[in-house]
Amino acid sequence: MYQRNRIYISPEEQEKIKNTRILIAGAGLGSNIAECALRLGFEKISICDMDNVEHSNLNRQNYTSVDIENSKVESLFSRLKSINPNAEIHYHNVFLTENNCSEYIENIDIAINTIDFTSNAPFIFDEICLKNGIPILHPFNFGWAGCVFVINKWSESLNSIVQNDIQPEVSIVEHIIQNCKSDVNLLWLRDVLQTFKQEKGESSPPQLAPASWITAGICANLLFKLANNKPTKIFPNFYLLTAN
Amino acid sequence: MYQRNRIYISPEEQEKIKNTRILIAGAGLGSNIAECALRLGFEKISICDMDNVEHSNLNRQNYTSVDIENSKVESLFSRLKSINPNAEIHYHNVFLTENNCSEYIENIDIAINTIDFTSNAPFIFDEICLKNGIPILHPFNFGWAGCVFVINKWSESLNSIVQNDIQPEVSIVEHIIQNCKSDVNLLWLRDVLQTFKQEKGESSPPQLAPASWITAGICANLLFKLANNKPTKIFPNFYLLTAN
């Protein structure tokens, strides 16, 4: 299945990612990332989420209308196994919390944190991963832009920009806008943020398919780098890609 | 299905892309682009290809092991309809050639040219589209980097960098390396190109999932811009995104 990866990926690197165990915490944006990582060659993937698929997810997440009202993790498991029946895919129909995180990060090499910012769970998750020496990717969907933070023992923590915020997403977007390279035009993101703030948290943040796709591509690339001990930018620096 | 597109996309823009008819010529990389475009809201999609799915496609294209040996366009049709049963998806199990191109670009607004460079078909396709006032996207998979050219009546044509080349992909990669922004590190792509040249055309170019995902995200964004008459870079300028 992976012969067209040749030249870009050496046989040793391919073997390395095959045996690197990744945990995808959250099967929303995580559903896009899981498929891209599997097709690159990550064959040991665990997924945690307790949501069911909703019709409003289909504008960007990796589900179909047949999956609506079914468990996200079971739907994603089926999709991944249909692509590579030999892959070791494990799923847990569970919300990760302060109390249960630890058991799911046992025997994991890299974590991807896409847990909703509706509780302190994403922050606790990072803490427990770091205590166990596990690096974390934090991917974000900014509509037309894909964005990923790498958190490890040398990086800052997400808490350094998000302190007791009711809407951490707002602080994260502001961090991006203030610190992105000067040749990247993010005026459109500034406008979207302005409108979103006026909604005062009445609705979930808007998200588009292009950012989910771009973010999945970035994450698969960074998983490859981390698995093979290649350097990456670390938070508060970040990866931001957009064609907008 | 598209309510989470709010703020980023106005109701008028959403209606516009719903009714914009796109033709995807080639269901390899086109298979990734089709799904991203559909989830963004392009509901009128035609696809042309005559290949069947091969096992070696699964490292990056939008097919599963169940699809192997089946027609790409029929497999992709089923996937797209399962996501949005109301979308108008048409497929043609045909290779586009100088002689048959014209009939498939009738009633099309934007074309995506992912036809293999094994004949002059991709160049003829562009010519006929331009004669009919149809802009074309040319997406490319460069492993860790997604790349897209926009060709329209004001742009140069792909012929300006590829003249009677046996391997047009090589000239295209060289154009990218020579003209990319100075802060983008493409040394890895230069190395891959070197090794690929040494193979002397014995194998198809290597391709990775991350570039397919990133390219699909770029294409969906550019389709949105073209459909809504927003400005884009045009060839010989290009879109190139990578986290590598």
Side-chain angles (χ1 to χ4, degrees):
Chain A
M1 173 167 164
Y2 299 110
Q3 64 259 44
R4 287 292 289 279
N5 287 2
R6 71 174 209 288
I7 311 183
Y8 287 109
I9 298 184
S10 74
E12 296 72 28
E13 289 167 336
Q14 190 72 45
E15 188 66 17
K16 183 71 189 174
I17 66 173
K18 177 180 176 166
N19 294 309
T20 297
R21 300 156 301 179
I22 66 176
L23 170 64
I24 301 187
L29 181 52
S31 67
N32 307 88
I33 296 163
E35 180 166 332
C36 191
L38 176 67
R39 292 198 192 268
L40 188 63
F42 287 89
E43 299 186 63
K44 295 187 177 171
I45 301 177
S46 299
I47 314 147
C48 291
D49 201 316
M50 209 167 83
D51 275 336
N52 289 339
V53 176
E54 294 176 36
H55 195 222
S56 64
N57 302 144
L58 301 191
N59 79 320
R60 64 199 190 283
Q61 296 178 13
N62 194 11
Y63 302 104
T64 71
S65 59
V66 179
D67 299 324
I68 291 173
E69 296 185 6
N70 292 342
S71 140
K72 282 190 175 179
V73 290
E74 286 180 33
S75 302
L76 183 55
F77 171 84
S78 301
R79 171 74 179 168
L80 298 177
K81 288 297 270 189
S82 77
I83 293 166
N84 181 344
N86 299 319
E88 292 174 31
I89 313 294
H90 299 279
Y91 64 87
H92 307 284
N93 209 330
V94 65
F95 279 127
L96 293 177
T97 66
E98 188 166 358
N99 301 320
N100 68 9
C101 262
S102 301
E103 72 180 280
Y104 299 104
I105 65 165
E106 273 179 20
N107 305 314
I108 287 298
D109 299 304
I110 310 172
I112 300 178
N113 185 343
T114 69
I115 304 171
D116 283 342
F117 287 104
T118 45
S119 72
N120 64 349
F123 303 101
I124 304 282
F125 179 84
D126 281 10
E127 271 178 39
I128 297 178
C129 285
L130 289 177
K131 271 185 201 155
N132 288 272
I134 300 167
I136 307 125
L137 300 183
H138 265 275
F140 300 97
N141 181 317
F142 298 143
W144 304 112
C147 181
V148 185
F149 299 162
V150 179
I151 309 276
N152 64 17
K153 61 182 167 185
W154 299 283
S155 75
E156 293 187 22
S157 80
L158 212 54
N159 275 316
S160 63
I161 57 165
V162 180
Q163 283 156 342
N164 303 316
D165 287 11
I166 298 168
Q167 292 185 290
E169 295 93 338
V170 170
S171 305
I172 291 167
V173 174
E174 284 170 347
H175 174 77
I176 298 299
I177 291 174
Q178 282 157 22
N179 295 286
C180 78
K181 282 193 259 177
S182 58
D183 62 342
V184 179
N185 168 19
L186 289 184
L187 289 177
W188 56 272
L189 185 55
R190 199 182 295 254
D191 291 344
V192 168
L193 181 64
Q194 185 87 349
T195 307
F196 179 67
K197 280 174 161 179
Q198 286 161 0
E199 289 183 350
K200 298 184 176 159
E202 286 161 11
S203 309
S204 304
Q207 301 188 336
L208 300 179
S212 296
W213 260 249
I214 292 169
T215 300
I218 301 171
C219 279
N221 192 343
L222 295 178
L223 286 169
F224 175 82
K225 285 174 176 277
L226 292 173
N228 285 291
N229 294 312
K230 294 175 191 284
T232 68
K233 291 191 259 189
I234 58 175
F235 186 73
N237 292 316
F238 51 83
Y239 292 89
L240 180 84
L241 299 184
T242 179
N244 204 38
Chain B
M1 172 169 168
Y2 298 111
Q3 65 261 42
R4 287 291 288 279
N5 287 2
R6 71 176 208 288
I7 310 185
Y8 286 110
I9 298 184
S10 72
E12 297 71 29
E13 289 167 338
Q14 191 71 46
E15 187 66 19
K16 184 71 189 177
I17 67 175
K18 176 179 178 167
N19 294 310
T20 297
R21 301 156 302 179
I22 65 177
L23 171 64
I24 301 186
L29 182 50
S31 67
N32 307 89
I33 297 163
E35 181 167 332
C36 191
L38 176 66
R39 292 199 194 266
L40 188 63
F42 286 89
E43 298 186 64
K44 295 187 177 171
I45 300 176
S46 300
I47 314 146
C48 291
D49 201 316
M50 209 167 83
D51 276 336
N52 290 339
V53 176
E54 294 176 35
H55 195 223
S56 63
N57 301 146
L58 300 192
N59 78 322
R60 63 200 191 282
Q61 295 177 16
N62 194 10
Y63 302 105
T64 71
S65 59
V66 178
D67 300 325
I68 291 172
E69 296 186 5
N70 292 342
S71 142
K72 283 190 175 179
V73 291
E74 286 180 33
S75 302
L76 183 55
F77 171 84
S78 300
R79 171 77 179 165
L80 299 176
K81 288 297 269 189
S82 77
I83 293 166
N84 182 344
N86 298 320
E88 292 174 30
I89 313 295
H90 300 279
Y91 64 87
H92 308 284
N93 208 329
V94 66
F95 279 128
L96 293 177
T97 67
E98 187 165 2
N99 301 320
N100 68 12
C101 263
S102 301
E103 72 180 280
Y104 299 105
I105 64 165
E106 273 180 19
N107 306 315
I108 287 297
D109 299 304
I110 310 172
I112 299 179
N113 185 343
T114 70
I115 304 170
D116 283 343
F117 287 105
T118 46
S119 72
N120 64 349
F123 304 101
I124 305 281
F125 179 84
D126 281 9
E127 270 177 40
I128 298 179
C129 285
L130 289 177
K131 270 185 203 155
N132 288 271
I134 299 167
I136 308 126
L137 299 183
H138 265 274
F140 300 98
N141 181 316
F142 297 143
W144 304 113
C147 181
V148 185
F149 300 162
V150 179
I151 310 274
N152 64 17
K153 61 183 167 184
W154 298 283
S155 75
E156 291 187 23
S157 81
L158 212 53
N159 275 315
S160 64
I161 58 166
V162 180
Q163 283 156 342
N164 303 316
D165 287 9
I166 299 168
Q167 291 184 292
E169 295 93 339
V170 170
S171 306
I172 292 167
V173 174
E174 284 170 347
H175 174 76
I176 298 298
I177 291 173
Q178 282 158 23
N179 295 285
C180 80
K181 282 193 261 175
S182 58
D183 63 341
V184 179
N185 168 19
L186 289 183
L187 289 176
W188 55 271
L189 185 57
R190 200 183 295 254
D191 292 345
V192 168
L193 182 66
Q194 186 87 347
T195 307
F196 178 68
K197 278 173 162 178
Q198 286 161 0
E199 289 183 349
K200 295 182 178 162
E202 286 161 11
S203 309
S204 306
Q207 300 189 337
L208 301 178
S212 296
W213 260 250
I214 293 170
T215 300
I218 301 172
C219 279
N221 192 342
L222 295 178
L223 286 170
F224 175 82
K225 285 175 177 276
L226 291 173
N228 285 292
N229 294 312
K230 294 173 190 288
T232 68
K233 291 192 257 191
I234 58 175
F235 186 73
N237 292 317
F238 51 82
Y239 293 88
L240 180 84
L241 299 184
T242 180
N244 204 38

